[in-house]
Amino acid sequence: MGLLLTGCGAEAVRRPAVLIDAEEYSRAGLQAYGDAEWRSAQHFFNKALLLYQGVDDQEGVLLSSINLAEVALAQHDDAAAKHYLTLAGRIATDDFFQHYQPRISLLYGRLALQQKQWAEAAHRLREILPVFKGVRAVSVPDNTQIAAIASQVKLAFWRKQDELLWVQRYAHALKQTAHNNRDRQARLLRFQADLLLQQGAAADAESKLQQALLLYKQGLSRVGIAVTLLELAQYYQASQRWQDAQEYLTRSRAVYHLLGDDEKVKQMTDLLAPVKQ
């Protein structure tokens, strides 16, 4: 048992050591996740999940399952993501835990996007998107809603429907919130680059991607760095700038290798093969 004393002669306040350990594992998992160390994050979240299950702490099980679903999505392990979301969803049906439903819906939406199930993704995101009046959200979006808007922008590009409107909505949502950060600004720049490419403004699109890359580097966001290097490589390849394309593909592959993303490393290797010298 963990033992905390409130003062000399005060009654001892006891907390089970198992809960203290579970919280430490969860904190370590969140740190590893923030550093994009997926395998370590999975290890720590699994440890926390087992401890919470061992004392039937349902909220702990719910949060650990959500965290494990996040890691599974980052690792492109759709089956594991669905397993943990199913577990979290069952617990969140309890009225006491319903406030976790928006985050679960967001992750289901991201899973559907990853599987290219556009109708399912649209349905899941619709459950949590804020109400808009034009490009402006009627109320200030919370963090889950901002993430949902970003996912909706991706869906708009993939479906080729209302891309400009959703990019504008994402940009306005970032202005409304006090929780703006480099990663979100970089994501906006990448969305804007996609729009510019649609409009044939290639040089401006390249500039936006380079700005995004700089922001990701300032925040040491390795996932952001890797994907932006890849997007720049694809831009150079389309522009027949073969040497630049090869350089950026090689740099992207190096970051993905450090992330332990074997699927992306293979993709980069396959892309490098036909690049002209």
Side-chain angles (χ1 to χ4, degrees):
M1 299 285 285
L3 182 64
L4 298 174
L5 298 179
T6 58
C8 183
E11 183 179 348
V13 179
R14 296 178 181 272
R15 282 187 75 231
V18 65
L19 291 181
I20 296 173
D21 289 344
E23 290 165 6
E24 286 299 320
Y25 283 131
S26 295
R27 275 192 286 269
L30 290 171
Q31 179 65 51
Y33 183 85
D35 293 337
E37 295 175 357
W38 314 130
R39 293 189 182 103
S40 293
Q42 182 182 39
H43 168 77
F44 289 124
F45 289 143
N46 264 319
K47 288 276 193 182
L49 176 62
L50 289 172
L51 290 178
Y52 283 127
Q53 287 175 327
V55 293
D56 196 36
D57 185 322
Q58 290 296 285
E59 186 168 22
V61 172
L62 170 59
L63 285 170
S64 297
S65 299
I66 289 174
N67 289 335
L68 282 162
E70 292 262 18
V71 173
L73 285 170
Q75 293 178 308
H76 315 289
D77 188 343
D78 295 351
K82 186 173 182 179
H83 167 75
Y84 289 116
L85 286 175
T86 300
L87 177 58
R90 282 201 298 264
I91 299 172
T93 57
D94 187 307
D95 290 344
F96 189 72
F97 300 124
Q98 281 196 348
H99 57 287
Y100 291 108
Q101 285 286 7
R103 188 173 172 194
I104 294 170
S105 293
L106 171 65
L107 295 181
Y108 268 120
R110 285 175 51 196
L111 175 61
L113 285 175
Q114 202 155 279
Q115 296 178 323
K116 295 182 170 55
Q117 297 177 353
W118 310 138
E120 173 67 11
H123 167 70
R124 293 291 185 174
L125 294 174
R126 199 178 300 119
E127 294 176 349
I128 50 177
L129 284 167
V131 175
F132 286 95
K133 186 175 182 180
V135 300
R136 182 186 179 86
V138 172
S139 58
V140 177
D142 59 27
N143 287 332
T144 299
Q145 289 175 317
I146 289 175
I149 298 168
S151 290
Q152 180 63 46
V153 178
K154 291 168 65 176
L155 179 61
F157 275 107
W158 282 330
R159 299 177 91 177
K160 301 186 185 306
Q161 294 178 357
D162 298 323
E163 300 98 310
L164 175 59
L165 173 63
W166 282 106
V167 171
Q168 291 174 330
R169 285 176 170 177
Y170 184 64
H172 207 285
L174 296 189
K175 291 179 182 178
Q176 287 179 275
T177 180
H179 301 289
N180 208 342
N181 57 39
R182 288 193 189 100
D183 280 9
R184 288 174 175 171
Q185 285 296 329
R187 194 67 188 93
L188 174 60
L189 287 165
R190 289 168 53 213
F191 287 143
Q192 291 171 337
D194 286 337
L195 283 176
L196 289 165
L197 285 173
Q198 285 184 347
Q199 299 161 6
D204 291 335
E206 179 188 7
S207 176
K208 293 283 188 184
L209 288 174
Q210 290 289 359
Q211 291 174 51
L213 180 60
L214 179 60
L215 285 177
Y216 283 132
K217 286 184 175 182
Q218 289 172 350
L220 292 178
S221 173
R222 287 181 286 180
V223 174
I225 292 169
V227 71
T228 309
L229 287 170
L230 172 58
E231 288 172 354
L232 279 161
Q234 291 170 329
Y235 161 75
Y236 293 134
Q237 204 162 8
S239 304
Q240 298 186 1
R241 292 167 57 177
W242 310 118
Q243 188 171 347
D244 289 333
Q246 184 177 51
E247 176 192 345
Y248 278 79
L249 281 172
T250 301
R251 287 163 59 181
S252 180
R253 181 174 63 177
V255 182
Y256 278 121
H257 178 73
L258 182 62
L259 290 170
D261 193 329
D262 296 335
E263 180 179 319
K264 284 292 186 180
V265 170
K266 184 181 184 304
Q267 180 187 353
M268 300 301 99
T269 302
D270 291 343
L271 287 171
L272 275 166
V275 173
K276 297 181 180 179
Q277 299 298 318

